[in-house]
Amino acid sequence: MNHSEWRVKVLEEVQQVPDAKLAQLYEMIHGFRLSSETNSHNAAAIMQFAGCWSDMSDEAYGEFSDEIAIRRQQAFSQRRNRETSID
């Protein structure tokens, strides 16, 4: 089925929705559309950072990478302690 046929089917279904449910349907459709736009926008925004460390020396990148690993270990160990402690 092509896009036009799907659009017709969706509109036919919308015509059958009771008036009392139109606001709820609108919110669902609107949210669905916004989330798909946001995902496209997020991907484009993330890709702007691609290669941003390309001019970093190997030594600086190694230190940076090690620091990230240490911070992740600390963060996750603290989270595990909070999740398992009984207050």
Side-chain angles (χ1 to χ4, degrees), residues 11-22:
L11 292 173
E12 287 172 355
E13 289 295 325
V14 168
Q15 292 297 322
Q16 301 301 314
V17 173
D19 290 343
K21 296 287 187 174
L22 286 175

Side-chain angles (χ1 to χ4, degrees), residues 30-50:
H30 185 68
F32 182 77
R33 184 181 60 81
L34 288 180
S35 70
S36 66
E37 288 176 3
T38 300
N39 289 339
S40 298
H41 177 70
N42 286 347
I46 290 168
M47 289 307 293
Q48 290 179 352
F49 292 103

Side-chain angles (χ1 to χ4, degrees), residues 64-78:
F64 175 72
S65 182
D66 293 343
E67 180 69 21
I68 289 175
I70 290 167
R71 288 180 185 221
R72 283 181 180 163
Q73 288 173 344
Q74 291 170 345
F76 286 113
S77 69
Q78 291 171 3

Side-chain angles (χ1 to χ4, degrees), residues 54-67:
S54 62
D55 61 346
M56 187 182 285
S57 71
D58 288 344
E59 181 182 348
Y61 181 77
E63 291 172 7
F64 175 72
S65 182
D66 293 343
E67 180 69 21

